[in-house]
Amino acid sequence: EVLVAKTPFPIHTIVLVLLVGPLTTEALASRRASEPVSHRFLYLCLVFIAVAFAFSASDASRLRCDPSDHLFPGHAVWHEFGAVSMIFAFLHYRQFARLFA
């Protein structure tokens, strides 16, 4: 069985906690950076993951859950926007590649 299913916390709470950790380390690392860090792609990543989170929450609350709507169910939109947010996360962290080359 999936371990997450056995926790007493809703999945959305777990996702939120998993987002706060990396954002905290990003804020700390950006303050200590020796060169200016661009956060443009990180902000876009956060916008897309916030929209994804909203769609997922609307689906879980049955606000957008319509079995007859196979084109845009909330859970599917969560995956689409989540994937786009990961592309922006990649573009954000790509600026640090030369530090590890």
Side-chain angles (χ1 to χ4, degrees), residues 16-96:
L16 191 59
V17 168
L18 291 173
L19 282 170
V20 169
L23 289 175
T24 302
T25 60
E26 182 64 31
L28 294 172
S30 292
R31 276 199 270 157
R32 294 182 180 186
S34 58
E35 298 176 16
V37 175
S38 171
H39 291 96
R40 177 180 51 154
F41 290 124
L42 181 63
Y43 296 143
L44 285 168
C45 171
L46 293 175
V47 166
F48 274 84
I49 202 66
V51 171
F53 190 81
F55 270 97
S56 181
S58 73
D59 192 48
S61 66
R62 302 289 189 232
L63 182 65
R64 282 265 317 130
C65 185
D66 180 6
S68 65
D69 182 7
H70 297 292
L71 189 56
F72 294 111
H75 190 77
V77 176
W78 151 259
H79 285 284
E80 298 295 329
F81 275 78
V84 172
S85 77
M86 292 300 104
I87 291 169
F88 286 123
F90 167 78
L91 292 173
H92 170 70
Y93 288 110
R94 185 177 63 171
Q95 70 183 310
F96 305 109

